[in-house]
Amino acid sequence: MSRKARLDGILEAAALVLGDRGWHGTTMREVSRAADVGLATLYHYLSGREDLLYQVQMRVLGAAVESAQAALAGRGSRERLRALLTDHVRRIQARPVEAAVLSGQVGSLRGERERRLAELRDRYHEVVGAAVDAATRSPRRRRRETEERVLLLLGKADRLALDARTASLRTP
């Protein structure tokens, strides 16, 4: 297995553990079990919990930006917004930890790492904001107004996704 494939598997397992247990309940030992790798192997790929948190968030945010940009390839501004929101809801339903990552509620990093994550999160919000403005035919709003609309819309989409996921888990 290639180094990249192994790291991807570890980060996928870590995202699932973070989603189930939250930041404070996630240990490197739990992640190593979920990824089916030894603890030493885990530390070969990641320097510790902070690195794990950073890597998972970078992966989630990078994929979200890429996916959002791909969703905007459709025709018509309302169809693009619908595709973008559908993509967002599907991502949150598949991995609830993404809602916390996209809203910046997972753990706390400082310095350069937090700046990089904030840049990616802002890029995601800009893509969604441009789609919202285009679909509602709103004149370009001030950054703060657009950001408030985006956060409200994504918050509602997150709630919808998580409620639907919870309901599907309860149904036999």
Side-chain angles (χ1 to χ4, degrees):
M1 181 181 288
S2 74
R3 178 173 171 77
K4 183 183 176 338
R6 174 70 54 96
L7 181 58
D8 283 347
I10 290 170
L11 294 177
E12 183 65 30
L16 294 173
V17 173
L18 278 166
D20 288 343
R21 297 180 172 270
W23 168 242
H24 295 291
T26 298
T27 65
M28 295 298 274
R29 195 170 305 284
E30 285 290 324
V31 172
S32 74
R33 268 187 240 135
D36 198 26
V37 298
L39 199 54
T41 301
L42 185 63
Y43 278 105
H44 176 73
Y45 286 91
L46 301 161
S47 62
R49 273 180 20 127
E50 187 173 299
D51 190 32
L52 170 85
L53 179 63
Y54 174 71
Q55 294 285 339
V56 167
Q57 289 187 81
M58 284 297 288
R59 185 173 191 255
V60 165
L61 288 167
V65 168
E66 231 176 76
S67 188
Q69 289 171 332
L72 295 179
R75 293 187 177 174
S77 55
R78 289 180 192 249
E79 288 76 22
R80 287 192 296 270
L81 180 59
R82 186 177 298 120
L84 189 133
L85 288 173
T86 299
D87 175 70
H88 180 87
V89 167
R90 284 184 183 147
R91 294 174 64 78
I92 301 304
Q93 283 179 320
R95 291 199 322 258
V97 72
E98 291 198 24
V101 170
L102 290 170
S103 64
Q105 298 174 359
V106 176
S108 60
L109 298 172
R110 297 200 183 346
E112 183 64 20
R113 287 182 166 187
E114 181 53 35
R115 187 189 64 72
R116 287 183 190 153
L117 291 169
E119 284 176 359
L120 266 177
R121 197 173 293 110
D122 289 347
R123 179 66 190 126
Y124 184 71
H125 291 171
E126 286 170 10
V127 170
V128 175
V132 168
D133 286 345
T136 58
R137 296 184 183 355
S138 298
R140 198 66 181 149
R141 298 179 185 275
R142 288 182 301 185
R143 180 180 169 91
R144 183 172 175 83
E145 288 175 0
T146 297
E147 183 70 12
E148 288 170 356
R149 292 173 73 194
V150 165
L151 292 175
L152 179 64
L153 182 63
L154 292 178
K156 288 184 182 225
D158 291 351
R159 186 82 241 146
L160 173 71
L162 295 172
D163 286 350
R165 184 175 195 277
T166 302
S168 70
L169 292 175
R170 284 189 210 146
T171 324

